[in-house]
Amino acid sequence: MPENEIQKLDEHVKQFIVDDLKSGDGKFEYMKIDVGKQAMNGREEDFEGIEFYASAFQNGSTIYIYPTYEFTENKKPCGNDSFSFLLGEAIRPYEFGGILWYKNSKMNDWEISGNLVANNQQLNGASYSGSQLGTPRSAMKFMGTTYCHASVGTGNDNRIVMGYSYQPKEVRVELFGWQLSGKQMIFVLAGGIVVGIVWWRKNKSRTQK
């Protein structure tokens, strides 16, 4: 993996990646991907105090991807948040997981909050939502690293687009989404849980719940 990419990763994230790669067999090569973010509902302020990055490795036809977000300022999620990522058609995911860390103003290092479970899985990505993303009594920092095991897809689009919906207020239904590989994907979020997804291409539509 290129040195400049390694330096971007937190030590806990590096160890998480190493431990997950040990589950595979063989020599892994760093995979060049295009990492991006997209404002949900078109609001750039959604990303204030949140950073995104991802790494990817390949072993033959198997791809290991690690989408990650990190709070760079204290926030107080209350169970209504959602972290999601969408993959280009060059990558086809089939297994998801992850881990969440937290750190308050009195802590010098991150502590494990718990495992992350992709409670909505799709052919092009997944979302992690609800109380598993943290429900602290006071504002603090959180960092979530997810793993995605995938196979080589049929297209050439190797983008990974990530987004975080921060909703510290009362429960409400919300829509957020993005475009990738010529398709539009809209998540329907209610009470911090993704309850539906709408996909469509031009002149075509498909709804999944």
Side-chain angles (χ1 to χ4, degrees), residues 124-139:
N124 291 79
S127 64
Y128 299 74
S129 57
S131 60
Q132 65 174 328
L133 299 184
T135 55
R137 295 181 179 179
S138 58

Side-chain angles (χ1 to χ4, degrees), residues 38-63:
Q38 184 160 337
M40 298 169 182
N41 292 336
R43 303 174 307 186
E44 186 63 28
E45 59 267 27
D46 285 349
F47 298 126
E48 292 181 356
I50 306 177
E51 291 185 350
F52 302 88
Y53 46 94
S55 302
F57 301 84
Q58 187 168 359
N59 176 16
S61 61
T62 303
I63 301 172

Side-chain angles (χ1 to χ4, degrees), residues 1 6 9-24 28 53-57 64-69 83 85 95-101 110-118 128 132 143-149:
M1 184 174 179
I6 294 176
L9 303 178
D10 179 90
E11 292 297 325
H12 297 78
V13 175
K14 293 178 187 177
Q15 188 60 55
F16 177 83
I17 292 174
V18 169
D19 291 341
D20 186 62
L21 289 177
K22 287 180 179 178
S23 65
F28 293 88
Y53 46 94
S55 302
F57 301 84
Y64 294 72
I65 307 167
Y66 303 95
T68 298
Y69 73 90
F83 171 63
F85 64 88
E95 183 177 352
F96 304 91
I99 191 168
L100 183 72
W101 290 273
W110 297 97
E111 293 287 344
I112 294 177
S113 175
N115 293 326
L116 293 177
V117 177
Y128 299 74
Q132 65 174 328
M143 177 173 65
T145 296
T146 62
Y147 71 78
C148 172
H149 299 168

Side-chain angles (χ1 to χ4, degrees), residues 25 49 93 139 157 189:
D25 181 22
D157 188 346
L189 183 69

